[in-house]
Amino acid sequence: EAGVAQSPRYKIIEKRQSVAFWCNPISGHATLYWYQQILGQGPKLLIQFQNNGVVDDSQLPKDRFSAERLKGVDSTLKIQPAKLEDSAVYLCASSLVGQRADTQYFGPGTRLTVL
Amino acid sequence: EDQVTQSPEALRLQEGESSSLNCSYTVSGLRGLFWYRQDPGKGPEFLFTLYSAGEEKEKERLKATLTKKESFLHITAPKPEDSATYLCAVRDNAGNMLTFGGGTRLMVKP
């Protein structure tokens, strides 16, 4: 079974530029998550989708971050404009929907460096 | 607000030297406690889910246990390939969000 796919794996941009990350979840997983992981810390949830609807975006900095999940499959996370403190690894995860089917499976992440 | 604290932050072991990693948590109604392994440059890899106090799960040299306030990840006779960062996370009954601890970086020397 193919895992969660993410691209690009690495991205270096100047501050105030924009950047976009792509995620393709495990086939059949209705729930998709975007996490931010700063070096030396655990991942922090940014946004959660179920199918193509947003379930939780309470920790998403909406003035600069946006995300969409068209057709309930792939998702894109965008940052515009980027700040130095956005340097981090952006992880995508997916899970099934169900009472205990809540194990989240993670992709390899995109490492973003903002100069 | 859910909180997860992991200790120690880093742990160095000799090959074969057993030890335990700690995950202390506060949560309003535990739905599940999760352990993940993360290798450098990779995403977290799922290891275990524990749902209630007293539950234990094992996988190869790893054994996870759960009480009402903390979880332990016991590593028996570790090998160098067990070197990684181990992450603990909790989910409460209110939603699907995982709250992660800062992780324990384990280094096993041959």
Side-chain angles (χ1 to χ4, degrees), chain A residues 26-85:
Chain A
I26 294 172
S27 178
H29 282 196
T31 308
L32 184 148
Y33 314 79
W34 282 103
Y35 287 85
Q36 179 192 60
Q37 186 175 25
I38 293 172
L39 187 64
Q41 299 181 16
K44 184 186 83 171
L45 181 71
L46 293 175
I47 188 168
Q48 176 191 341
F49 293 93
Q50 185 164 316
N51 297 309
N52 59 352
V54 175
V55 174
D56 184 350
D57 64 356
S58 57
Q59 300 190 84
L60 187 73
K62 298 180 186 65
D63 58 333
R64 298 183 300 105
F65 286 66
S66 64
E68 60 182 9
R69 191 182 184 197
L70 300 177
K71 301 180 181 179
V73 181
D74 294 3
S75 177
T76 302
L77 176 69
K78 296 179 181 178
I79 307 175
Q80 183 179 11
K83 293 185 175 181
L84 296 177
E85 58 261 37

Side-chain angles (χ1 to χ4, degrees), chain A residues 9 33 35 37 40-43 45 48 50 55-56 59 91 98-100 102-108 111, chain B residues 31-32 34 36 38 41-46 49 51-52 55 87 91 95-103:
Chain A
R9 291 297 316 278
Y33 314 79
Y35 287 85
Q37 186 175 25
Q41 299 181 16
L45 181 71
Q48 176 191 341
Q50 185 164 316
V55 174
D56 184 350
Q59 300 190 84
L91 295 163
Q99 185 176 8
R100 277 193 170 184
D102 50 6
T103 299
Q104 296 183 22
Y105 296 92
F106 286 81
R111 180 176 296 277
Chain B
R31 179 173 166 185
F34 301 81
Y36 286 85
Q38 187 172 26
K42 296 188 177 181
E45 176 189 348
F46 171 71
T49 309
Y51 294 103
S52 57
E55 190 174 0
L87 296 166
R91 168 180 282 158
N96 291 322
M97 187 176 77
L98 283 181
T99 300
F100 280 86

Side-chain angles (χ1 to χ4, degrees), chain A residues 17-31:
Chain A
Q17 285 186 325
S18 62
V19 64
F21 313 126
W22 173 83
C23 172
N24 180 244
I26 294 172
S27 178
H29 282 196
T31 308

